[in-house]
Amino acid sequence: MTEAQIGIIGGSGLYKMDALKDVEEVKVDTPFGSPSDAIILGTLDGIRVAFLARHGRNHTLLPSELPFRANIYAMKQLGVEYLISASAVGSLKEEAKPLDMVVPDQFIDRTKNRVSTFFGEGIVAHIAFGDPVCHNLAGVLADAIACLNLPDVTLHRGGTYVCMEGPAFSTKAESNLYRSWGATVIGMTNLPEAKLAREAEIAYATLALVTDYDCWHPDHDSVTVEMVVNNLQRNAVNAQKVIQETVRRLSDNPPPSVAHSALKYAILTPLDKVSTATKEKLGLLLKKYI
Ligand SMILES: CSC[C@H]1O[C@H](OP(=O)(O)O)[C@H](O)[C@@H]1O
Ligand SMILES: Nc1ncnc2[nH]cnc12
């Protein structure tokens, strides 16, 4: 069932897409449980997309409580091949200022409590993850930002997103440690999503919306939720314009992605040695290879 080739996951502050038309709300069930909320199917400029509010539309789920596997599997069930993640982030670099947009190309995993694989239960796979973001999708996203020429917004192409566990924000020592590693931004959600999307052979890229300077900056107050929300409200409109332009470009010219064949050489277990139950559970991911 292909309902939408393009999926959007909206993070803190982006709970819906105002420009969506012909909207239909679908409750999707997956072998990994229910997603964070109903998925909103609709059209943007006539192009079908699937939208999911990552923390639920009323922001009821902590980063550590997110049903990452169900969210990505649900997108796969709907036929999604390109997934755009919009996320609030703190900046770890002077030059990435609040309201700027970053399209990261690397992640550092500082999570402690996340399930970020579909595999196990008798089937072993190791995806390549050296380049965790789809280079071509990230390029379309960055080009869309650049062409919009949004006032007061600087685009940063590439950069490293540190994914921390949360929910408390970082200590100054942690924030400075990540700065010493050369990281660009920090958030709490994107790494498990990127891993699972790769396992599901979905191209994934992040639109990171800078809301604060975390807690390292001597001239700025340490991050608070109020700061994040105020800045997100200011650029949620811009974020939606970027997503709309990205969707238009993707639909005109869907790029190839290494993600689309990520499992080709990743599965170690001979499929005839995998139990029927596991094969059925992962059917959507495995069917190309059986
Ligand atoms: C509300 S501040 C912390 C919260 O915001 C980010 O969420 P998302 O990535 O879904 O936009 C960050 O990762 C934290 O979950
Ligand atoms: N400073 C920060 N740390 C972690 N997640 C964030 N989301 C937005 N700002 C953040």
Side-chain angles (χ1 to χ4, degrees):
M1 164 179 65
T2 296
E3 296 282 2
Q5 192 187 21
I6 302 172
I8 301 153
I9 298 188
S12 298
L14 192 65
Y15 306 107
K16 63 182 172 59
M17 292 283 299
D18 297 322
L20 265 189
K21 299 229 167 69
D22 315 313
V23 169
E24 184 195 345
E25 214 174 289
V26 286
K27 282 216 158 71
V28 182
D29 192 27
T30 83
F32 299 93
S34 302
S36 301
D37 205 331
I39 294 195
I40 312 298
L41 286 169
T43 55
L44 276 179
D45 300 314
I47 304 151
R48 206 130 168 88
V49 300
F51 177 87
L52 174 65
R54 175 184 290 120
H55 302 273
R57 72 190 73 182
N58 298 315
H59 208 127
T60 44
L61 296 166
L62 285 169
S64 314
E65 292 175 329
L66 294 177
F68 289 106
R69 292 193 295 184
N71 289 353
I72 299 297
Y73 208 88
M75 289 287 176
K76 185 78 182 174
Q77 283 177 192
L78 295 172
V80 167
E81 293 171 22
Y82 300 92
L83 189 53
I84 304 163
S85 152
S87 284
V89 293
S91 170
L92 297 169
K93 287 200 190 277
E94 181 81 51
E95 62 269 27
K97 56 184 196 316
L99 304 187
D100 280 1
M101 296 186 180
V102 182
V103 181
D105 56 3
Q106 282 297 330
F107 290 103
I108 293 176
D109 189 359
R110 290 275 302 167
T111 64
K112 300 180 174 82
N113 191 22
R114 313 277 173 100
V115 182
S116 48
T117 181
F118 290 112
F119 292 95
E121 295 179 22
I123 179 165
V124 174
H126 303 278
I127 47 153
F129 205 52
D131 294 300
V133 168
C134 170
H135 177 76
N136 291 343
L137 178 58
V140 176
L141 179 58
D143 289 347
I145 300 170
C147 92
L148 287 171
N149 258 320
L150 299 163
D152 303 322
V153 175
T154 302
L155 160 67
H156 305 267
R157 286 180 190 255
T160 299
Y161 173 123
V162 176
C163 191
M164 61 178 287
E165 184 65 40
F169 292 115
S170 304
T171 64
K172 286 185 177 147
E174 287 163 337
S175 198
N176 280 313
L177 176 68
Y178 307 146
R179 275 169 55 68
S180 78
W181 291 347
T184 316
V185 292
I186 183 157
M188 304 179 190
T189 58
N190 274 217
L191 182 110
E193 260 171 28
K195 276 191 182 157
L196 290 162
R198 184 61 61 86
E199 286 190 350
E201 300 191 321
I202 298 174
Y204 183 90
T206 297
L207 168 60
L209 305 156
V210 178
T211 51
D212 53 84
Y213 274 115
D214 200 33
C215 58
W216 62 270
H217 201 300
D219 305 331
H220 290 267
D221 288 339
S222 292
V223 56
T224 61
V225 163
E226 192 188 9
M227 197 185 284
V228 172
V229 171
N230 283 345
N231 280 335
L232 265 180
Q233 279 168 353
R234 286 173 65 193
N235 68 4
V237 174
N238 283 344
Q240 292 186 56
K241 284 188 194 153
V242 168
I243 292 168
Q244 214 169 332
E245 179 62 25
T246 307
V247 166
R248 260 197 296 267
R249 286 165 179 246
L250 278 176
S251 160
D252 284 350
N253 195 9
S257 175
V258 287
H260 292 158
S261 53
L263 289 182
K264 194 165 177 192
Y265 302 111
I267 301 170
L268 278 170
T269 316
L271 290 176
D272 60 351
K273 303 290 181 224
V274 176
S275 72
T276 308
T278 295
K279 272 198 283 219
E280 271 172 20
K281 189 171 178 183
L282 292 183
L284 209 51
L285 309 192
L286 300 182
K287 67 175 184 211
K288 253 165 86 176
Y289 300 103
I290 289 181

